């Protein structure tokens, strides 16, 4: 994650300073609703509170949803969008008691505010995402070293040979029938490396919780983060002789914007993103963020429980429709399998409080939701990146995310230990984070889907894990060389807390068996 403006980072990328933050979450759907009348309220409803956004999770199908919508209106709520296919309704209300009231309505499983700050907070647009610029001398040197089968900047991309993507490209660049949806801060599809592979029909702006398909609405506005554009380049930058090369440079990429102007990823937008992807031919989604405002959302809190349930329903729906969901594990160097962790950053849209939480009960989502591929990050020396979260039984797989160059220095001709990819306005820069690792895994999954077009999400994930290159625990782990152990890896060679099933393998992904 990176710092966006003055707030704790939401997206799971680190700029040159490698600031540390976040992890990711889970909750199955479940508890039945309290059974009470759904008749309109007979007493006056307060409307003098801050205008907040809510998700209301419904049990019982479209008929129940219609009944609940009447109760929402009676409780002072306005429906913004109703995802009847998953039983999630997005609502705005200025009734301070809205959540408590609607939870009592017949057919409501859970309901909660998606934020602690009012909707009017979205005014700060000065949140340009950090990154280390590619210098002119680096670009010139790389172009001089590029071989005939390489794009001009590919010699600087140590991450491609690390996962054998360069070898995979000699067999195939991937299929144009495969689309990877970048659920993120928006994608600048005008970039010369992204324009050839961009899928506008599968792109939208979901920031409000309701999809906006106005052409270009999926792009970051001036001053907004380039994070999603960087992620998109890692997945599918075109192999066109210039710029960089993506892991799957022959597949399509779409932009599904879910981040507010000031960099928050709220639940209603994330739900919209997954449902949009599921219904618009997206085979893989990449999710390099955690859902605000809670770094760890707790199941024993009525609001937070509802948020996790809404996103869980959305991810499960997407998978049922044929989508594999990939997410970044977070950049706090936390053991997500530990008994307790300290969260001092939540809620991050008002005043944070310090909480000691159990990561089995308080979860960061979407990465730890059932079925989601959780990705940790490695550096240029094939070790867990200094910032990457980890956890035996939590991490599914590892991929290059970059690290401080002084910690993990790449072999020449590469010169920077971070990941080089596309930025807005046609440029390129370096970033590091599990945000950068996840799109490597998404790209390999795109190659797998290209090779096995009829494979189900479950089959694709099984192949991804089976083909991964085993990485044994690296203990003692002293990444900064100061003599102190920085993290402890648990597990065996074929499955452990640092690397999961191992490092993704692009070459195996394009071999037909």
């Amino acid at each position: 994650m990176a710092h966006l403006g003055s707030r704790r980072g939401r997206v799971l990328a680190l700029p040159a300073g490698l600031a540390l933050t976040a992890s990711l979450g889970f909750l199955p759907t479940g508890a039945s609703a309290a059974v009470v009348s759904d008749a309109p309220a007979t007493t006056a409803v307060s409307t003098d509170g801050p205008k907040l956004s809510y998700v209301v999770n419904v049990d019982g199908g479209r008929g129940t949803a219609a009944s609940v919508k009447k109760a929402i209106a009676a409780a002072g709520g306005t429906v913004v969008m109703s995802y009847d296919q998953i039983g999630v309704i997005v609502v705005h209300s200025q009734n301070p008691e809205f959540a408590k009231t609607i939870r009592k309505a017949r057919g409501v499983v859970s309901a909660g505010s998606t934020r602690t700050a009012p909707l009017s907070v979205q005014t700060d647009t000065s949140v340009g995402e950090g990154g280390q610029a590619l210098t002119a001398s680096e670009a010139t040197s790389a172009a001089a070293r590029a071989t005939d089968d390489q794009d001009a900047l590919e010699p600087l991309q140590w991450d491609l040979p690390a996962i054998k993507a360069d070898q995979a490209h000699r067999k195939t660049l991937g299929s144009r029938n495969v689309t990877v949806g970048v659920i993120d801060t928006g994608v600048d599809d005008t970039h010369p490396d992204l324009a050839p592979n961009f899928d506008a029909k599968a792109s939208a702006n979901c920031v409000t919780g309701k999809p906006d398909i106005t052409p270009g609405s999926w792009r970051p506005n001036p001053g907004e983060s380039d994070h999603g554009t960087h992620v998109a380049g890692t997945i599918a930058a075109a192999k066109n002789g210039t710029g960089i090369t993506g892991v799957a440079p022959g597949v399509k990429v779409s932009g599904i914007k879910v981040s507010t102007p000031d960099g928050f990823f709220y639940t209603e937008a994330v739900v919209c993103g997954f449902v949009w992807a599921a219904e618009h031919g997206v085979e893989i989604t990449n999710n390099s963020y955690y859902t605000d405002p809670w770094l760890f959302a707790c199941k024993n809190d009525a609001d937070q429980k509802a948020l996790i349930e809404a996103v869980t329903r959305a991810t499960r729906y997407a998978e049922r429709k044929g989508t594999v969901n990939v997410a970044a594990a977070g950049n706090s160097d936390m053991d997500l399998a530990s008994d307790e962790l300290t969260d001092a950053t939540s809620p991050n849209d008002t005043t944070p409080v310090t909480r000691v939480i159990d990561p089995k009960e308080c979860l960061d989502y979407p990465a730890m939701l059932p079925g989601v591929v959780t990705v940790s990050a490695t550096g240029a020396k094939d070790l867990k990146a200094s910032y990457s979260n980890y956890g035996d039984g939590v991490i599914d797989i590892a991929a290059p995310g970059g690290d401080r160059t002084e910690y993990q220095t790449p072999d020449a001709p590469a010169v920077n230990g971070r990941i080089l990819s596309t930025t807005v306005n046609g440029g390129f820069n370096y970033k590091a984070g599990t945000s950068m690792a996840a799109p490597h895994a998404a790209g390999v999954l795109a190659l797998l889907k290209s090779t096995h077009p009829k494979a189900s999400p479950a089959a694709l994930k099984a192949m991804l894990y089976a083909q991964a290159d085993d990485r044994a625990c690296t203990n003692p782990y002293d990444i900064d060389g100061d003599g102190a152990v920085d993290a402890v890896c648990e597990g065996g060679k074929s499955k452990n807390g640092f690397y999961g099933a191992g490092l993704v393998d692009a070459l195996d992904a394009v071999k037909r068996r």
Side-chain angles (χ1 to χ4, degrees), residues 173 193 388:
L173 301 181
D193 259 358
S388 180

Side-chain angles (χ1 to χ4, degrees), residues 364-434:
D364 187 353
Y365 60 104
M368 291 170 64
L369 296 179
V372 174
V373 178
T374 307
V375 187
S376 66
T378 58
K381 293 303 183 187
D382 224 14
L383 300 173
K384 183 189 89 71
S386 57
Y387 53 80
S388 180
N389 286 346
Y390 57 101
D392 194 20
V394 179
I395 300 301
D396 292 314
I397 204 156
D403 206 345
R404 291 181 182 269
T405 305
E406 58 268 33
Y407 290 172
Q408 300 194 56
T409 306
D411 293 334
V415 295
N416 195 305
R418 301 164 183 84
I419 304 298
L420 180 65
S421 191
T422 47
T423 186
V424 295
N425 301 320
F428 303 89
N429 65 13
Y430 294 99
K431 298 185 192 297
T434 54

Side-chain angles (χ1 to χ4, degrees), residues 15-102:
L18 292 183
L20 303 182
T21 19
S23 68
L24 299 130
F26 145 86
L27 177 74
T29 56
S32 60
V35 179
V36 296
S37 174
D38 57 8
T42 57
T43 57
V45 173
S46 173
T47 58
D48 59 358
K51 189 176 184 180
L52 295 176
S53 181
Y54 297 83
V55 286
V56 180
N57 300 312
V58 176
D59 190 17
R62 294 177 186 270
T64 304
S67 173
V68 170
K69 288 170 191 174
K70 294 179 182 178
I72 288 170
T78 301
V79 174
V80 175
M81 186 69 182
S82 184
Y83 293 101
D84 292 346
Q85 59 272 62
I86 60 172
V88 176
I89 305 173
V90 179
V91 179
H92 289 173
S93 180
Q94 288 185 258
N95 177 8
E97 298 297 312
F98 175 79
K100 290 181 181 179
T101 302
I102 201 63

Side-chain angles (χ1 to χ4, degrees), residues 131-176:
Q132 188 172 56
L134 174 71
T135 68
S137 62
E138 288 172 353
T140 300
S141 176
R145 290 174 175 266
T147 61
D148 291 342
D149 63 346
Q150 288 183 317
D151 281 351
L153 301 179
E154 194 172 337
L156 300 175
Q157 293 182 267
W158 58 264
D159 48 310
L160 296 184
I163 61 171
K164 306 172 197 165
D166 54 337
Q167 298 178 57
H169 296 164
R170 294 169 195 150
K171 294 181 175 292
T172 180
L173 301 181
S175 169
R176 295 192 65 77

Side-chain angles (χ1 to χ4, degrees), residues 425-503:
N425 301 320
F428 303 89
N429 65 13
Y430 294 99
K431 298 185 192 297
T434 54
S435 276
M436 285 60 255
H440 285 83
V444 172
L445 279 163
L447 293 175
L448 273 168
K449 184 65 174 178
S450 299
T451 307
H452 306 277
K454 295 182 179 181
S456 67
L460 290 171
K461 287 187 286 185
M463 286 187 282
L464 179 74
Y465 303 149
Q467 295 173 5
D469 295 334
D470 288 348
R471 291 291 183 271
C473 279
T474 44
N475 288 320
Y477 177 79
D478 176 17
I479 194 67
D480 55 7
D482 66 355
V485 173
D486 297 309
V488 177
C489 178
E490 298 180 344
K493 181 179 180 181
S494 60
K495 183 75 173 178
N496 59 64
F498 275 13
Y499 310 109
L503 190 70

